[in-house]
Amino acid sequence: MRGRAAGRLEACVSLRRVRPVRLIAYSDYLCPWCYNASVRLERLVAEAPDVSVEWRSYLLRPRPSARRDLETFRAYTESWRRPAAEEDAPRFRVWQGSEGPPSHSLPPHLVAKAAARVGPDAFRRMHARLLRAYFEENRDISADATLRALWDELELPDDGFAQREDPELLARVLAEHDEALRFGASGVPSLRAADSDAVVTGALPMETYRRFAERLRERAAVGAV
């Protein structure tokens, strides 16, 4: 019996070494809490090489709207002080300058998807750059000129920027948004295991993300023995 138990334990340990923990995160580039979640999940991936995060689109503002003026938008960004006050938050800046407000969520998602066609690293860098440009630098990431500037700054292929206009990318963004709703995501950020349709919504503390990944490892190990 002891030998059999030892064998099972060895199988569990071996599985935990090789079987990845795949997470799906639904996010919007205009969501301040998504910025916190993105920074934390990036840290989780850096800490645990077996963890990967696939970012999918959720549209808080799916259509252009001219209802908000700049002063109203500036007042709204005072609410960013709440996510900014969390201990491990990235830098936020209440809106200054004359850019904005952003028209809607689609443009940055389409540019991120265009970057993904260049490669995973290009997506990762564009994903982080969009969030920083909006929340730290107060740049209108729905404006084509801003998006082009970010694309060039990251030295992505010149002809790749036009991919944002591909109807296939628009269909993918909308399909991901619909998928999040179908799984019960009531807002963003929302997270689920890749093999599960149960979503958890909210920017969770770093330790909670770590425990979530550990539970998925344990579940995979038990299921394989």
Side-chain angles (χ1 to χ4, degrees), residues 75-194:
Y76 150 73
T77 66
E78 290 285 342
S79 67
W80 294 357
R81 296 186 189 276
R82 284 184 58 213
E86 296 198 344
E87 184 177 355
D88 59 349
R91 181 173 174 262
F92 287 81
R93 183 172 67 168
V94 172
W95 203 266
Q96 301 172 25
S98 58
E99 283 197 46
S103 59
H104 60 313
S105 298
L106 265 174
H109 281 286
L110 293 172
V111 166
K113 288 287 189 284
R117 282 188 170 177
V118 177
D121 182 65
F123 171 81
R124 182 186 60 79
R125 291 188 295 130
M126 179 58 76
H127 174 81
R129 190 67 188 92
L130 286 164
L131 291 165
R132 183 160 60 89
Y134 184 53
F135 292 108
E136 296 190 31
E137 300 170 3
N138 295 167
R139 298 170 71 177
D140 180 2
I141 58 171
S142 68
D144 216 43
T146 299
L147 294 170
R148 179 74 216 206
L150 297 178
W151 187 275
D152 292 342
E153 177 190 316
L154 296 178
E155 299 182 337
L156 299 179
D158 185 69
D159 57 354
F161 186 68
Q163 293 290 318
R164 75 198 188 286
E165 298 179 344
D166 186 340
E168 181 182 327
L169 293 189
L170 174 60
R172 188 177 308 167
V173 168
L174 297 177
E176 290 176 0
H177 176 79
D178 289 345
E179 175 187 271
L181 296 178
R182 189 168 67 251
F183 287 154
S186 57
V188 281
S190 285
L191 187 72
R192 67 178 177 89

